[in-house]
Amino acid sequence: MYNVTEQFEKLKGRDDIVVLGIESSCDETAAAVYGGGKILSDVVASQVDIHKRFGGVVPEIASRNHMAALPDIVDEALKKAGIGLNDVDAIGVTYGAGLIGALLVGVSSAKALAYAANKPLVKVNHIQAHICANYIEHKDLKPPFLALVASGGHTSIVEVKGYNEYNLVGSTTDDAIGEAFDKVARLLGLSYPGGPNIDRLSKGGRNVIEFVRKKQVDGERISYSGLKTAVVNYIHNCEQRKESYDIADVCASFTAAAVDPLVEMVVKDIKKFKADKLVVAGGVASNSYLREKMRFAGKEHGFEVIMPSPVYCTDNAAMVAVRAALSAREGKNLAGLDLNPTGSLSIGGEE
Ligand code: KG4
Ligand code: ZN
C-alpha cells in the first residue's frame, strides 16, 4: 500500500531534504539530485542532434527518446550523487507545461520510482522551476522579487511573493521570445535550436535594420509574431530586389528588436511593483545581448539583476529538484499516483 503522507509531513521545515528531480517536458531528458542545499548531480541528455534534421522538436520522437534514455539517466544521477533511491526523501517531476507525450514519460517514470521505493512524489511546474534555477548559485536569494521567464514557451513577468507563491504580472501577446528566435533562425537557414546560433552570429553583426518596433509593442505587451513577420518581409523584399543581406546584421538587429522592448517592459514593472531585484530565467536568459542589456538596465534604474549561469538557463533537472525541495519544505505540491501532466500549465499552476 502506497502511503507517504506521514513521511511528507516530516519534511516540513527541513533545509536538508534530498530530492531526485526528473525533467522531460521538451527535448532534454534530465535527472539530478539536490540535497543539503547543494546540487549533488546533474545529468542532461539532449536530443538536439536527433531533432536538428527536422528543424524543430518532433513530439513523438521526443517521447520515444525520453522513454529509451530516462532509466539510464536516473541511474547515472543517483550514482554521481553517491546515493541509492532509498536515500532520497522525495522525487520531484515536471508535470507541465510542455509537450504532453514527453511529460507523460517523465511523470510515469517518477510514479514508478515513487511507488517502488515508497517515496513522496512532488509535482513541479516547469516555469516555476526555471525561476528556482537561480537559487542554485545565488545562496542569499530570497523572495519577494520580480522574475522574467524568457524561454521557448514563455515570455512572462512573474511576481514571486514566496517560495511557493507565483503571480503572473505580464506576458507577450502571441509567440514566446525563444520561439521567435527559433523561427527567425529557420528562416535564415540556421540549424535548430536557433537561439544560440543567432546569439553567436549577432556578435559579428550590427544593429542597423529597423524591424518596426512601434508596431511590435501593443500597449505594454510585445508581439513576437509581428517581429517575425517584419523579418520575413525584410528578407522577401531583399530577395525581390535581388539585393543581398548580411545574415549577421539581421541577427543583431532582430536580437535588439526582440530584447530592447522586453527590457523596457521589465523596467516599467520593476517601478510599478517597487521591486529591488530582478531574477531572469529560461533558455533565452543565456542570450549574451539580453544579459548585457538587463545588467545595464539594473545599473541605470537601481535594481539588482540575478541570472543563472547559461547551463542552468536551459532545461535541466537540477532546477526541478530545487523546486520540489522548496515545495516539500512548506508541505506543498505532494502528488498522488493519479498525477496527470498538463501541457498548458500557467505559472500560477492553473491549466
Ligand atoms: O527554457 P528552454 O530550454 O526550454 C523551454 O522551456 O522552452 O528554452 C529553449 C529556448 C529555445 O527557443 C532556444 O532557441 C532559446 O531558448 N535559447 C536562446 C539561447 N539559448 C537558448 N535564445 C537566444 N540566445 C541564446 N543564447
Ligand atoms: Zn524550459
Side-chain angles (χ1 to χ4, degrees):
M1 178 68 187
Y2 177 71
N3 189 344
V4 292
T5 323
E6 216 171 285
Q7 264 188 69
F8 192 63
E9 276 296 308
K10 286 189 187 145
L11 299 179
K12 266 194 196 160
R14 272 178 50 190
D15 283 321
D16 59 348
I17 304 171
V18 179
V19 178
L20 166 68
I22 294 175
E23 159 64 40
S24 71
S25 66
C26 191
D27 60 343
E28 250 87 43
T29 316
V33 178
Y34 174 75
K38 278 192 230 136
I39 300 298
L40 304 177
S41 67
D42 179 16
V43 185
V44 183
S46 176
Q47 300 179 15
V48 160
D49 287 338
I50 298 166
H51 297 284
K52 225 174 214 167
R53 76 186 99 134
F54 305 107
V57 179
V58 182
E60 188 188 329
I61 296 177
S63 312
R64 288 181 183 279
N65 280 286
H66 285 311
M67 188 88 122
L70 202 51
D72 281 348
I73 299 294
V74 168
D75 246 6
E76 198 180 328
L78 289 170
K79 239 177 237 150
K80 281 193 173 154
I83 62 169
L85 189 57
N86 282 328
D87 302 317
V88 309
D89 294 310
I91 296 166
V93 66
T94 301
Y95 79 109
L99 301 171
I100 196 68
L103 289 164
L104 279 164
V105 177
V107 168
S108 305
S109 308
K111 277 185 197 180
L113 292 168
Y115 180 74
N118 200 45
K119 300 287 180 185
L121 179 67
V122 180
K123 59 180 183 178
V124 169
N125 178 315
H126 182 78
I127 320 167
Q128 295 177 2
H130 269 301
I131 296 173
C132 290
N134 282 279
Y135 294 122
I136 298 171
E137 296 163 298
H138 304 279
K139 302 285 179 209
D140 297 333
L141 178 63
K142 284 189 184 79
F145 53 76
L146 218 58
L148 167 70
V149 181
S151 72
H154 299 86
T155 324
S156 313
I157 298 181
V158 182
E159 189 189 12
V160 182
K161 289 184 166 173
Y163 291 103
N164 288 289
E165 227 183 311
Y166 301 80
N167 287 333
L168 182 67
V169 167
S171 60
T172 48
T173 46
D174 36 46
D175 290 358
I177 186 167
E179 207 175 340
F181 269 91
D182 294 338
K183 284 180 178 169
V184 167
R186 204 169 165 170
L187 194 74
L188 296 172
L190 304 172
S191 67
Y192 178 84
N197 285 324
I198 291 188
D199 194 354
R200 185 175 42 80
L201 286 172
S202 292
K203 287 174 187 157
R206 299 158 305 156
N207 174 16
V208 287
I209 310 160
E210 195 73 40
F211 288 125
V212 285
R213 283 175 207 202
K214 283 199 187 72
K215 276 193 201 155
Q216 228 175 278
V217 182
D218 157 27
E220 289 200 4
R221 305 207 295 158
I222 303 164
S223 162
Y224 282 118
S225 172
L227 173 58
K228 185 207 68 193
T229 307
V231 181
V232 171
N233 291 342
Y234 173 81
I235 289 172
H236 284 173
N237 281 341
C238 287
E239 283 169 356
Q240 264 169 3
R241 287 196 225 112
K242 301 205 181 334
E243 286 171 10
S244 64
Y245 56 86
D246 186 314
I247 284 202
D249 285 351
V250 174
C251 288
S253 306
F254 160 75
T255 302
V259 172
D260 292 351
L262 189 61
V263 175
E264 264 174 48
M265 189 168 124
V266 166
V267 169
K268 249 189 220 165
D269 281 336
I270 284 276
K271 287 183 180 161
K272 189 165 139 195
F273 285 85
K274 298 187 172 53
D276 59 358
K277 266 181 284 185
L278 174 75
V279 164
V280 191
V284 187
S286 62
N287 181 271
S288 45
Y289 180 83
L290 183 143
R291 291 174 87 86
E292 192 189 310
K293 277 277 159 169
M294 284 298 175
R295 279 203 191 99
F296 185 79
K299 274 196 194 122
E300 199 181 19
H301 298 280
F303 58 91
E304 193 187 348
V305 179
I306 294 144
M307 295 181 270
S309 298
V311 63
Y312 292 128
C313 289
T314 44
D315 289 348
N316 63 83
M319 68 185 194
V320 175
V322 172
R323 177 71 197 96
L326 293 171
S327 291
R329 195 173 71 180
E330 291 184 5
K332 301 258 163 66
N333 295 320
L334 175 66
L337 293 180
D338 58 351
L339 175 65
N340 216 341
T342 305
S344 56
L345 192 65
S346 78
I347 182 72
E350 309 88 34
E351 283 175 34

